[in-house]
Structures are given as structure tokens and as C-alpha cells.
Amino acid sequence: MEITTKMDNVTDMTSLSPTGGINEPKYLDHTTYKNLQTLRVRYAEIHGYISVLVCLFGIIANIANIVVLNKKHMRTSTNVILMWLAVADLCTMTEYVPFALRFYIFKDPDLEFPDNKSYSWMCYLLFHADFSLTMHSMSIWLTIMLAIFRFLYVFLPTKGSIYCSIKHAKIIIITVYVLAVLVCIPNYISNYWSKSVRNISNENVTVYTFSQRKDEDKDFETVFAINYWVQSILIKLVPCFLLTVLTILLITALHKAHKRHVHLKSQGMRKDDVEKHHEHFRTTAMLLAVVILFLITELPQGILTLLMIFMDTLHAELYNPLGDILDIVALLNNAINFVLYCSMSQQFRDTFVATFCGCFKRNTNPNASVWAKRHLITANGTSTKTTNLQENGQMV
């Protein structure tokens, strides 16, 4: 989802007010619709505080991810993609903080969201709507590329390392970043603002309102329509479909790897070979967890997007009231990868400790060098060797 959901350019801006909506729901019963509106208003009161806390944690966590994954011995195709995924998440959360502070915590009590008395803040709101969508597009397609790379490693063990080299990973990352900007150009054009003079507290005040250019100029209706279908297909429906398929394939691969691991142990294979398969399994499991978390965030919106194509008022009835909740779920997803890496990757933990806790490591065991050596699987997951962490390895 593009943060913020409320600023989704396919939204009917008349329904963006925390107290706004439609007079009579078409697809929901009146009680359910009323409860959703109540939930929307009540959660909006605390959303700013929660989102700022999540973003602050996510900013620190993603900086740690970037520093660790950028270490020389950590440079593999998988880790390069993970690092630039962390960059996109870091940008998203850093930009979200001033938005949450201004439009939620320190919002103008006399105006409804997203109206504003300040021209500069309205310009920032436009930037937020465009920037968040662009970063989200980058994140979701990098996640898809990550799953594809792992799929190739698992199902094409002899050629996976060739197809998924660091060079190819860098080319894909650059392509994703450039295409994300190009795909979002219709969104940049569509988003606009309008101003009006209102009487607030017996004083005439200029108020700026977020809107679409099609509301001001009918010539922009075509651009708006293109933007709607681009967002629906390339940013929601297709990614959800690909993430679902890739998740199923990776789960299948994990199941086969587990059976192979049990078989090897029963046949009395060498300890190094058994450990190789165990680490290969653990790496795939970690990357699968990253993909599944993204899918949990995206799939409900993908389904809603598909339904909204055929149900014209569903956006205002259901999607819009849940906007802030979908936002916080997306923010949590952007912040959680650090926890996954630490819990599932020994090499990541070792490198993190060596980078940020060097003094503690030296004080507790100055002669220890075990942390610097691990059994690492090669890029294609087919051979095992004891490798010093100064060499190129795969995060496992």
C-alpha cells in the first residue's frame, strides 16, 4: 500500500474527512458502516503518536540494516537487494514522521483532514503523497525480486548463482528504482491542491485543500484514469499475485529441503553436509518470512482493489475508513525486518555485534575469534566451507 492510504489518488476526496463519508452505504449495512466510521475517528486520535514511535524504531533499525549489509564480507546478491530494500523503507519512515506530526499530533482543530492553512505544508502534503507511493512501489518490487532470486537459487542450484549474481542484482535494483519513478508520473500529475476563503471563528482564512487536477480541468481525466489503472494493476494486483505464487513456491522448497535434511541425517552424511542443508533451509525460511509479511500487508488491499473495480463506492465505504490502520500495518512491516534478520541469521547477528558492540565483545572475551568464522553456504547453496567473515558470504 502506498502510505498514506488516505492520500491515495483514487480516493474521492470528499470522503477524506474523519467525520466525512457517504450518506447511505451501498455494499455494507448501515450499522457496520457506522462502526467503521467510529473506529476511524477514534483511531485517528492516537495514530500520530503510534506511527511516530514505530517510525523512530524503524529508522534506527533500517540504518543498522544498511550498515551491516553494506559490510564487505556481507556483499551477496541477496544482501544487496535487502540493503536497498532497507533504504526504501528508511526513506518512507523518515518522511512519514513530519507528516504524522503536522497532520495528526499538531493538526488544526478547526479544519478537517487534509485541509491546511499553510501553503508550505500543503506543498509538503503533495510531496508526501507522491514520495510515499514511489517508495512503496520500490519496496514491493524489490521484495518480489528477492523472492525470485531465492526461487532461482533453490530450483536451479547449478545456474542460480550465475543468474543471480551481484552484478545482475545491481542492474535490477537500478531498474526498479527508475521504473518506480516513471510509473508514478501520472500520480505526480494528478495530485494538486485548491484554495478557498472560509470564515473560521469569525475570521476569513485562506484554506488549501488536497485535490486532483481532473477536478479543475477535464483534460486531466485521461491522466487520472491511467493513474488509476497503473496503481491498481502494477502496484497492487500484479504484486499481490506474484507474492502469492512465490510464497507457495518457497514453502514447497522449504518442505523439500526439510525432507532432504532428515534423509541426510538418517544416511549418516558428514556433519558439514548436514549443516550446509540446515543453513540453506534457514536462509530460505528467513527470506520467506520477509515475503510473507509483505504479502500479509498487501493482499487485503489487493483484494479490495480488485473489488473496487466492480463496486464503485466500496472505496469510500470500506477502504477509506481503514486507511490509518492499513498505514500503521505497512509501517510495522517496514520496521520489522531488522528483528527477522537478528532472530534468523547468525552471520547478521555476529556482524551487528562486531560493528555496534565491539567494546562489549572485546571486554567479555578479548581472545575470542569464533564469531568471525561460520560455515557459510555458497551463493548457489550447493557447497560448504569454513569462511572468515572478511570474505564474501551469504547471510544465513
Side-chain angles (χ1 to χ4, degrees):
M1 107 177 191
E2 62 277 14
I3 301 174
T4 181
T5 299
K6 284 185 175 182
M7 301 316 302
D8 186 341
N9 73 329
V10 301
T11 302
D12 176 4
M13 298 305 296
T14 60
S15 64
L16 284 176
S17 165
T19 60
I22 57 179
N23 294 326
E24 189 64 33
K26 182 178 180 181
Y27 300 105
L28 301 177
D29 62 86
H30 187 75
T31 301
T32 301
Y33 177 71
K34 184 178 179 181
N35 290 337
L36 284 174
Q37 292 297 330
T38 301
L39 173 65
R40 176 187 186 179
V41 173
R42 290 181 178 178
Y43 179 71
E45 296 175 354
I46 61 174
H47 174 71
Y49 301 96
I50 296 176
S51 60
V52 168
L53 290 176
V54 171
C55 285
L56 291 178
F57 170 78
I59 289 170
I60 297 172
N62 280 295
I63 290 176
N65 289 340
I66 294 169
V67 172
V68 172
L69 295 173
N70 196 42
K71 293 292 184 179
K72 184 177 180 180
H73 65 269
M74 297 288 287
R75 291 177 189 168
T76 65
S77 58
T78 296
N79 290 355
V80 169
I81 296 176
L82 288 174
M83 186 190 73
W84 284 100
L85 176 62
V87 171
D89 291 343
L90 174 63
C91 292
T92 297
M93 307 191 87
T94 302
E95 187 275 330
Y96 198 92
V97 171
F99 167 78
L101 290 172
R102 179 63 184 85
F103 291 93
Y104 285 90
I105 298 178
F106 301 112
K107 63 180 180 180
D108 193 324
D110 297 326
L111 297 175
E112 297 178 346
F113 182 93
D115 295 350
N116 202 276
K117 298 177 183 179
S118 169
Y119 171 75
S120 58
W121 276 109
M122 180 50 61
C123 291
Y124 181 82
L125 188 63
L126 289 172
F127 168 77
H128 166 77
D130 295 334
F131 183 82
S132 59
L133 175 63
T134 305
M135 290 297 107
H136 173 71
S137 303
M138 294 175 182
S139 294
I140 191 170
W141 281 103
L142 285 176
T143 303
I144 291 172
M145 292 300 107
L146 183 70
I148 292 175
F149 267 45
R150 197 60 197 173
F151 169 78
L152 293 176
Y153 277 139
V154 173
F155 286 89
L156 298 174
T158 59
K159 296 184 179 180
S161 59
I162 299 175
Y163 296 149
C164 304
S165 64
I166 293 179
K167 179 181 178 180
H168 291 165
K170 290 180 179 179
I171 293 174
I172 287 176
I173 291 167
I174 294 173
T175 302
V176 168
Y177 269 67
V178 172
L179 289 181
V181 174
L182 295 178
V183 165
C184 292
I185 287 178
N187 188 73
Y188 306 155
I189 298 174
S190 297
N191 290 338
Y192 195 55
W193 56 266
S194 60
K195 67 177 180 178
S196 61
V197 178
R198 303 181 190 176
N199 187 280
I200 301 176
S201 301
N202 297 321
E203 181 181 356
N204 290 331
V205 179
T206 300
V207 176
Y208 298 91
T209 302
F210 186 94
S211 63
Q212 275 81 45
R213 290 185 185 273
K214 75 179 183 67
D215 299 329
E216 310 293 332
D217 189 342
K218 297 300 180 181
D219 293 337
F220 283 93
E221 287 185 348
T222 301
V223 175
F224 184 81
I226 293 174
N227 186 40
Y228 176 85
W229 288 106
V230 164
Q231 287 197 44
S232 298
I233 296 175
L234 295 182
I235 303 180
K236 292 181 181 177
L237 296 180
V238 171
C240 284
F241 172 77
L242 291 176
L243 285 174
T244 302
V245 172
L246 290 167
T247 298
I248 295 173
L249 291 175
L250 288 175
I251 291 175
T252 302
L254 277 178
H255 178 67
K256 291 181 178 180
H258 177 68
K259 292 176 63 176
R260 185 165 57 249
H261 177 66
V262 173
H263 176 71
L264 287 173
K265 291 182 69 175
S266 66
Q267 295 295 319
M269 296 292 290
R270 291 184 310 168
K271 183 178 180 180
D272 284 350
D273 290 333
V274 174
E275 180 64 19
K276 174 199 69 175
H277 286 282
H278 176 69
E279 292 176 346
H280 185 59
F281 178 90
R282 186 173 56 188
T283 300
T284 304
M286 184 194 70
L287 299 179
L288 177 62
V290 174
V291 174
I292 289 178
L293 284 176
F294 224 107
L295 181 61
I296 292 173
T297 304
E298 297 298 324
L299 188 58
Q301 298 172 68
I303 295 174
L304 283 174
T305 299
L306 182 62
L307 293 176
M308 286 187 296
I309 294 176
F310 308 100
M311 305 166 72
D312 53 350
T313 63
L314 190 64
H315 192 287
E317 293 182 30
L318 182 60
Y319 192 80
N320 213 38
L322 297 176
D324 288 338
I325 295 176
L326 294 175
D327 274 5
I328 197 63
V329 171
L331 290 172
L332 286 169
N333 181 56
N334 290 342
I336 202 66
N337 284 348
F338 173 79
V339 178
L340 289 178
Y341 302 159
C342 285
S343 62
M344 304 182 72
S345 171
Q346 180 67 50
Q347 189 186 17
F348 185 92
R349 290 197 300 270
D350 290 341
T351 306
F352 176 81
V353 170
T355 302
F356 296 100
C357 308
C359 294
F360 175 78
K361 176 181 69 65
R362 287 193 297 269
N363 291 336
T364 55
N365 193 356
N367 296 320
S369 60
V370 177
W371 68 270
K373 292 186 177 182
R374 295 292 170 195
H375 291 287
L376 303 178
I377 60 175
T378 58
N380 61 14
T382 58
S383 64
T384 303
K385 59 182 179 179
T386 301
T387 309
N388 188 283
L389 287 182
Q390 294 300 317
E391 298 177 10
N392 189 27
Q394 182 174 353
M395 188 168 74
V396 293

